[in-house]
Amino acid sequence: MSLYAVQKFLFEINRSKEMQDRYSVDQRAELAGFDLTDEEIEALVAPDIGKLFHLGVNGQILMHFAAFHQIDWQDYLQRMRDGISEHGPVREGVYAMTTSLDEVVAPVHTPATPEGSH
């Protein structure tokens, strides 16, 4: 897997109307120029936003690809959540988890109230 290749493809398609037009006609042909795994290609063609997020794609890049596919903001966010539920934690990249799902990293504490105050 090459997270770099996936993000490079997304970066380029997000900025090029010509590339978007070619991709709309033949997705797999447009992807052929990038060093992608079958898993990555399938996630891009679907488009499986949750799987792409799980693979480590940066959300700033991914949101533009979602918009290109007419996925509204709330649905985009839900698809990322669903991707984690279905596929597990983010594998690599800036969003990769370094702890287990049930490990508390930064617990929330409520301040103690002084005696006699409510």
Side-chain angles (χ1 to χ4, degrees):
M1 177 181 99
S2 170
L3 178 57
Y4 175 79
V6 175
Q7 293 190 131
K8 181 171 176 48
F9 165 77
L10 292 171
F11 179 85
E12 290 181 17
I13 196 168
N14 288 343
R15 284 154 181 74
S16 170
K17 175 73 168 111
E18 294 80 17
M19 188 174 180
Q20 292 170 8
D21 292 343
R22 291 190 309 267
Y23 185 75
S24 295
V25 171
D26 189 346
Q27 295 170 321
R28 291 180 189 279
E30 196 63 29
L31 292 169
F34 295 84
D35 186 21
L36 302 168
T37 65
D38 290 342
E39 179 183 38
E40 293 163 344
I41 291 168
E42 294 309 314
L44 288 163
V45 168
D48 188 338
I49 299 301
K51 180 67 166 253
L52 291 166
F53 184 65
H54 162 73
L55 293 174
V57 173
N58 183 292
Q60 295 291 322
I61 297 171
L62 191 56
M63 71 179 180
H64 296 287
F65 187 64
F68 169 67
H69 286 284
Q70 307 301 309
I71 298 168
D72 70 40
W73 179 249
Q74 291 303 319
D75 189 24
Y76 162 72
L77 294 174
Q78 188 59 51
R79 288 180 188 209
M80 289 195 310
R81 289 184 203 102
D82 293 345
I84 298 305
S85 296
E86 182 178 342
H87 305 292
V90 175
R91 285 189 193 168
E92 66 177 293
V94 69
Y95 302 116
M97 292 183 63
T98 58
T99 60
S100 66
L101 291 174
D102 59 350
E103 188 174 344
V104 176
V105 178
V108 176
H109 296 284
T110 55
T113 56
E115 287 187 42
S117 65
H118 298 285

